[in-house]
Amino acid sequence: MDMHQKGEGMVRKAFLNQVAYCQHAGAETTARVVEAILSVLESDTSNALLERIRQWQGAPSADALPLRITGGIHSLHLSGEAPELMPIYRGIPADDQAILTELMIAHEAQLMPWLDGPPQTNEAGRSSNFIAAMLWLAAEGLPAKFECLEIGSSAGINLMLDRYGYSLGGVNVGLPVPVMRFDPEWKGPPPPSQAIEIVSTRGCDIAPVDLTDAREALRLKAYIWPEHTVRFDRMEAAIRAAKDRAPDLVKMNAADFVEQELQQPQDEGVTRLLMHSIVWQYVPEDQQQRITAAMEAGGAKATAEKPLAWVKVEADRTVHRHMLKVRYWPGGEEETQLAWSHPHGAEIEWIAG
């Protein structure tokens, strides 16, 4: 399905695609909520909230429309404002359409703002992919010191990846006493075992989230799929880490940030690395083009002493899976897929040679 399609029938397709995607990722409760919302949309019930969704002006899949409204509904459950949702979130049989119909009428004003912007899907588990990619890049001969730049950083949870510990197919990386530790289910051969160092991290977001603000943290938690309970524990650990030392995060659009950062001086013996996860679909097409042009122009100037790399973990919605892909300059201009990855880092299938 073309993520950027608009028009008649695309809202329904977006919701059905999201149901399939959630089921494939083991998020049965979230799939149930999305299905229930779709059933309300296909009923005769009407109010401003439902009509805005039905008549969505953008591309509903690229805009993650189903997850926008699902996040708002989950927030009502987490805050205790909608006890009628309890059967759904506890996996108890119920009349889901009736529950969601009443809720979307009663909480119309509270839910409407959730449609205004894309989900903030910050997940620390995705950092395992970035670390695995750095191991591979170091094995390819790039300097093993990395200056990391991230677009769509949300609250900057992945900007703190140097504070975490990792066990990746038996390869251990990171601090001995980390803020949190990741041990994804690993399939395939292990990544290269290399000593790497993260010398700096810096990121941007068009609407950065302050993890130390309880209201903003609740919004992030609302986007966590409820069946993935470990993610709530990770969020609490990230909140504590941010209170100890806030990530370097600026409010800026992705294209402006990349163009600006690529103009900054780069130390010899350091690999400059652009990274992002589950964000490319939210970046406007004109900005995607600018970022690509800036990276390729920067790559043309890169040297063995000052290389440039691009690491991405993004969805292939035709198969409902995520791909870890890498490009680097000089020498690795063609994009290489290193792995298939679970959207929250629960498992990684390493396919790189």
Side-chain angles (χ1 to χ4, degrees):
M1 184 178 76
D2 182 354
M3 293 285 290
H4 297 281
Q5 280 187 292
K6 304 178 183 180
E8 186 176 356
M10 294 314 300
V11 168
R12 183 173 191 274
K13 285 186 178 180
F15 275 81
L16 290 174
N17 186 268
Q18 190 62 58
V19 169
Y21 183 81
C22 289
Q23 289 173 339
H24 192 276
E28 294 293 339
T29 299
T30 305
R32 179 178 172 180
V33 174
V34 175
E35 277 190 303
I37 297 169
L38 179 58
S39 68
V40 178
L41 291 171
E42 294 184 330
S43 72
D44 294 331
T45 304
S46 180
N47 65 1
L49 174 69
L50 291 166
E51 292 308 317
R52 185 177 174 191
I53 298 172
R54 287 172 177 142
Q55 299 171 30
W56 191 252
Q57 297 302 300
S61 289
D63 294 341
L65 176 60
L67 293 182
R68 294 189 188 200
I69 185 61
T70 302
I73 289 167
H74 192 202
S75 75
L76 293 173
H77 170 67
L78 290 175
S79 66
E81 295 179 69
E84 63 270 28
L85 288 169
M86 183 271 294
I88 295 176
Y89 284 98
R90 291 191 180 178
I92 300 170
D95 187 340
D96 295 357
Q97 180 177 337
I99 291 172
L100 266 295
T101 297
E102 293 183 16
L103 181 135
M104 295 177 79
I105 292 173
H107 296 276
E108 176 186 19
Q110 286 173 273
L111 290 171
M112 190 72 84
W114 287 81
L115 300 179
D116 292 342
Q120 296 277 17
T121 55
N122 222 195
E123 169 51 50
R126 294 174 187 156
S127 62
S128 294
N129 291 275
F130 297 145
I131 295 295
M134 291 181 214
L135 294 174
W136 184 85
L137 288 166
E140 289 290 294
L142 277 68
K145 294 184 176 182
F146 292 91
E147 168 199 316
C148 299
L149 305 170
E150 184 185 34
I151 57 174
S153 297
S154 186
I157 289 176
N158 284 307
L159 292 175
M160 299 188 287
L161 81 175
D162 58 330
R163 306 188 218 177
Y164 309 151
Y166 309 86
S167 179
L168 307 175
V171 176
N172 294 312
V173 183
L175 299 176
V177 184
V179 169
M180 56 183 115
R181 181 173 294 280
F182 301 103
D183 184 11
E185 181 183 347
W186 195 272
K187 300 177 181 178
S193 181
Q194 300 280 330
I196 61 172
E197 179 185 351
I198 297 170
V199 297
S200 66
T201 61
R202 181 172 171 79
C204 76
D205 199 275
I206 56 171
V209 176
D210 180 1
L211 276 176
T212 64
D213 183 301
R215 289 175 61 87
E216 293 193 41
L218 175 62
R219 183 176 180 86
L220 273 187
K221 292 175 184 177
Y223 289 122
I224 296 175
W225 292 350
E227 45 279 283
H228 298 158
T229 54
V230 67
R231 298 180 65 204
F232 290 93
D233 295 334
R234 291 176 180 173
M235 184 64 68
E236 293 298 333
I239 290 170
R240 292 192 295 271
K243 288 180 177 178
D244 180 58
R245 175 163 50 92
D248 187 356
L249 178 60
V250 296
K251 182 176 182 179
M252 187 180 293
N253 75 49
D256 287 348
F257 176 78
V258 172
E259 291 169 348
Q260 172 183 287
E261 291 300 319
L262 291 185
Q263 295 302 314
Q264 302 304 311
Q266 180 177 350
D267 291 338
E268 285 196 8
V270 174
T271 298
R272 176 170 283 168
L273 184 149
L274 174 65
M275 62 188 193
H276 53 85
S277 58
I278 329 299
V279 70
W280 197 246
Q281 70 190 63
Y282 305 129
V283 177
E285 190 172 356
D286 64 319
Q287 289 191 44
Q288 291 182 6
Q289 294 171 354
R290 286 171 57 194
I291 293 167
T292 301
M295 289 297 289
E296 291 178 346
K301 301 175 184 177
T303 66
E305 294 75 28
K306 297 181 180 181
L308 179 64
W310 189 353
V311 176
K312 59 183 78 172
V313 183
E314 299 292 347
D316 180 345
R317 288 185 176 264
T318 62
V319 294
H320 309 296
R321 301 179 76 185
H322 288 76
M323 297 178 287
L324 169 61
K325 292 185 173 183
V326 175
R327 295 178 72 184
Y328 68 87
W329 298 265
E333 291 81 3
E334 294 299 317
E335 193 168 64
T336 298
Q337 183 179 352
L338 302 183
W340 292 101
S341 176
H342 183 277
H344 309 128
E347 64 180 47
I348 294 175
E349 181 182 346
W350 191 256
I351 62 174

